[in-house]
mmCIF file of all heavy atoms in Angstrom:
data_model
loop_
_atom_site.group_PDB
_atom_site.id
_atom_site.type_symbol
_atom_site.label_atom_id
_atom_site.label_comp_id
_atom_site.label_asym_id
_atom_site.label_seq_id
_atom_site.Cartn_x
_atom_site.Cartn_y
_atom_site.Cartn_z
ATOM 1 N N ARG A 12 3.080 -0.722 -15.463
ATOM 2 C CA ARG A 12 4.460 -0.561 -15.143
ATOM 3 C C ARG A 12 4.692 -1.079 -13.757
ATOM 4 O O ARG A 12 3.729 -1.191 -12.933
ATOM 5 C CB ARG A 12 4.947 0.875 -15.228
ATOM 6 C CG ARG A 12 4.780 1.498 -16.511
ATOM 7 C CD ARG A 12 6.090 1.358 -17.216
ATOM 8 N NE ARG A 12 6.050 1.995 -18.512
ATOM 9 C CZ ARG A 12 7.039 2.755 -19.016
ATOM 10 N NH1 ARG A 12 8.160 2.907 -18.263
ATOM 11 N NH2 ARG A 12 6.975 3.235 -20.224
ATOM 12 N N ASP A 13 5.886 -1.518 -13.437
ATOM 13 C CA ASP A 13 6.235 -2.014 -12.158
ATOM 14 C C ASP A 13 6.437 -0.836 -11.177
ATOM 15 O O ASP A 13 7.557 -0.454 -10.884
ATOM 16 C CB ASP A 13 7.488 -2.884 -12.230
ATOM 17 C CG ASP A 13 7.313 -4.137 -12.901
ATOM 18 O OD1 ASP A 13 6.104 -4.505 -13.107
ATOM 19 O OD2 ASP A 13 8.267 -4.827 -13.232
ATOM 20 N N ALA A 14 5.364 -0.302 -10.728
ATOM 21 C CA ALA A 14 5.391 0.910 -9.885
ATOM 22 C C ALA A 14 4.435 0.601 -8.643
ATOM 23 O O ALA A 14 3.234 0.810 -8.796
ATOM 24 C CB ALA A 14 5.002 2.180 -10.681
ATOM 25 N N ASP A 15 5.059 0.217 -7.541
ATOM 26 C CA ASP A 15 4.332 -0.001 -6.373
ATOM 27 C C ASP A 15 4.572 1.031 -5.306
ATOM 28 O O ASP A 15 5.705 1.411 -5.127
ATOM 29 C CB ASP A 15 4.686 -1.380 -5.812
ATOM 30 C CG ASP A 15 4.462 -2.485 -6.793
ATOM 31 O OD1 ASP A 15 3.767 -2.347 -7.799
ATOM 32 O OD2 ASP A 15 4.921 -3.626 -6.511
ATOM 33 N N LEU A 16 3.585 1.494 -4.713
ATOM 34 C CA LEU A 16 3.761 2.504 -3.595
ATOM 35 C C LEU A 16 2.543 2.527 -2.652
ATOM 36 O O LEU A 16 1.479 2.110 -3.029
ATOM 37 C CB LEU A 16 4.030 3.897 -4.147
ATOM 38 C CG LEU A 16 2.834 4.580 -4.881
ATOM 39 C CD1 LEU A 16 2.048 5.437 -4.018
ATOM 40 C CD2 LEU A 16 3.476 5.362 -6.081
ATOM 41 N N CYS A 17 2.793 3.022 -1.448
ATOM 42 C CA CYS A 17 1.744 3.230 -0.458
ATOM 43 C C CYS A 17 1.946 4.587 0.059
ATOM 44 O O CYS A 17 3.068 5.020 0.356
ATOM 45 C CB CYS A 17 1.770 2.223 0.642
ATOM 46 S SG CYS A 17 1.250 0.576 0.149
ATOM 47 N N ALA A 18 0.912 5.278 0.289
ATOM 48 C CA ALA A 18 0.951 6.638 0.858
ATOM 49 C C ALA A 18 0.054 6.607 2.112
ATOM 50 O O ALA A 18 -1.051 6.005 2.154
ATOM 51 C CB ALA A 18 0.353 7.682 -0.147
ATOM 52 N N PHE A 19 0.489 7.256 3.203
ATOM 53 C CA PHE A 19 -0.137 7.389 4.436
ATOM 54 C C PHE A 19 -0.422 8.788 4.857
ATOM 55 O O PHE A 19 0.464 9.605 4.629
ATOM 56 C CB PHE A 19 0.611 6.656 5.572
ATOM 57 C CG PHE A 19 0.801 5.222 5.399
ATOM 58 C CD1 PHE A 19 1.824 4.727 4.531
ATOM 59 C CD2 PHE A 19 -0.087 4.263 5.900
ATOM 60 C CE1 PHE A 19 1.948 3.331 4.349
ATOM 61 C CE2 PHE A 19 0.084 2.853 5.665
ATOM 62 C CZ PHE A 19 1.159 2.437 4.845
ATOM 63 N N ARG A 20 -1.665 9.035 5.496
ATOM 64 C CA ARG A 20 -1.863 10.436 6.017
ATOM 65 C C ARG A 20 -1.262 10.446 7.449
ATOM 66 O O ARG A 20 -1.401 9.490 8.143
ATOM 67 C CB ARG A 20 -3.355 10.536 5.985
ATOM 68 C CG ARG A 20 -3.916 10.856 4.637
ATOM 69 C CD ARG A 20 -5.340 11.388 4.839
ATOM 70 N NE ARG A 20 -5.822 11.748 3.482
ATOM 71 C CZ ARG A 20 -6.378 10.875 2.541
ATOM 72 N NH1 ARG A 20 -6.458 9.595 2.937
ATOM 73 N NH2 ARG A 20 -6.724 11.244 1.468
ATOM 74 N N LEU A 21 -0.787 11.578 7.701
ATOM 75 C CA LEU A 21 -0.270 11.833 9.153
ATOM 76 C C LEU A 21 -0.581 13.214 9.514
ATOM 77 O O LEU A 21 -0.273 14.115 8.830
ATOM 78 C CB LEU A 21 1.212 11.611 9.118
ATOM 79 C CG LEU A 21 1.927 11.854 10.437
ATOM 80 C CD1 LEU A 21 1.443 10.790 11.467
ATOM 81 C CD2 LEU A 21 3.407 11.719 10.331
ATOM 82 N N ASP A 22 -1.304 13.321 10.652
ATOM 83 C CA ASP A 22 -1.530 14.623 11.217
ATOM 84 C C ASP A 22 -0.614 14.885 12.391
ATOM 85 O O ASP A 22 -0.975 14.541 13.514
ATOM 86 C CB ASP A 22 -2.975 14.731 11.633
ATOM 87 C CG ASP A 22 -3.411 15.996 12.227
ATOM 88 O OD1 ASP A 22 -2.577 17.002 12.134
ATOM 89 O OD2 ASP A 22 -4.446 16.091 12.817
ATOM 90 N N PRO A 23 0.532 15.494 12.198
ATOM 91 C CA PRO A 23 1.471 15.625 13.328
ATOM 92 C C PRO A 23 0.957 16.412 14.490
ATOM 93 O O PRO A 23 1.238 16.233 15.599
ATOM 94 C CB PRO A 23 2.688 16.427 12.692
ATOM 95 C CG PRO A 23 2.492 16.216 11.187
ATOM 96 C CD PRO A 23 1.110 16.005 10.971
ATOM 97 N N ALA A 24 0.006 17.426 14.264
ATOM 98 C CA ALA A 24 -0.554 18.223 15.261
ATOM 99 C C ALA A 24 -1.420 17.478 16.153
ATOM 100 O O ALA A 24 -1.561 17.717 17.354
ATOM 101 C CB ALA A 24 -1.255 19.423 14.714
ATOM 102 N N GLY A 25 -2.086 16.457 15.635
ATOM 103 C CA GLY A 25 -3.091 15.699 16.440
ATOM 104 C C GLY A 25 -2.741 14.345 16.820
ATOM 105 O O GLY A 25 -3.573 13.604 17.346
ATOM 106 N N ASP A 26 -1.483 14.020 16.597
ATOM 107 C CA ASP A 26 -1.056 12.546 16.961
ATOM 108 C C ASP A 26 0.240 12.614 17.648
ATOM 109 O O ASP A 26 1.219 12.948 16.932
ATOM 110 C CB ASP A 26 -1.077 11.768 15.679
ATOM 111 C CG ASP A 26 -0.957 10.349 15.955
ATOM 112 O OD1 ASP A 26 -0.405 9.901 17.108
ATOM 113 O OD2 ASP A 26 -1.348 9.523 15.166
ATOM 114 N N ALA A 27 0.405 12.226 18.844
ATOM 115 C CA ALA A 27 1.670 12.157 19.606
ATOM 116 C C ALA A 27 2.738 11.233 18.957
ATOM 117 O O ALA A 27 3.884 11.403 19.061
ATOM 118 C CB ALA A 27 1.412 11.810 21.045
ATOM 119 N N ARG A 28 2.160 10.237 18.317
ATOM 120 C CA ARG A 28 3.141 9.167 17.629
ATOM 121 C C ARG A 28 3.892 9.827 16.553
ATOM 122 O O ARG A 28 4.898 9.313 16.108
ATOM 123 C CB ARG A 28 2.294 8.011 17.073
ATOM 124 C CG ARG A 28 1.566 7.254 18.200
ATOM 125 C CD ARG A 28 0.825 6.077 17.589
ATOM 126 N NE ARG A 28 -0.251 6.581 16.847
ATOM 127 C CZ ARG A 28 -1.062 5.818 16.124
ATOM 128 N NH1 ARG A 28 -0.953 4.499 16.280
ATOM 129 N NH2 ARG A 28 -2.034 6.320 15.396
ATOM 130 N N ALA A 29 3.419 11.026 16.084
ATOM 131 C CA ALA A 29 4.094 11.757 14.891
ATOM 132 C C ALA A 29 5.438 12.324 15.346
ATOM 133 O O ALA A 29 6.102 12.927 14.603
ATOM 134 C CB ALA A 29 3.213 12.759 14.281
ATOM 135 N N ALA A 30 5.825 12.112 16.588
ATOM 136 C CA ALA A 30 7.092 12.697 17.024
ATOM 137 C C ALA A 30 8.264 12.194 16.243
ATOM 138 O O ALA A 30 9.370 12.850 16.228
ATOM 139 C CB ALA A 30 7.279 12.421 18.549
ATOM 140 N N HIS A 31 8.057 11.047 15.559
ATOM 141 C CA HIS A 31 9.140 10.409 14.727
ATOM 142 C C HIS A 31 9.184 11.044 13.364
ATOM 143 O O HIS A 31 9.835 10.445 12.441
ATOM 144 C CB HIS A 31 8.945 8.969 14.687
ATOM 145 C CG HIS A 31 8.948 8.248 16.061
ATOM 146 N ND1 HIS A 31 10.118 8.024 16.643
ATOM 147 C CD2 HIS A 31 7.993 7.841 16.821
ATOM 148 C CE1 HIS A 31 9.799 7.460 17.890
ATOM 149 N NE2 HIS A 31 8.620 7.282 17.953
#
Side-chain angles (χ1 to χ4, degrees):
R12 297 269 182 139
D13 292 346
D15 301 345
L16 65 94
C17 288
F19 295 86
R20 286 191 174 86
L21 179 64
D22 178 12
D26 193 338
R28 296 179 297 177
H31 300 284

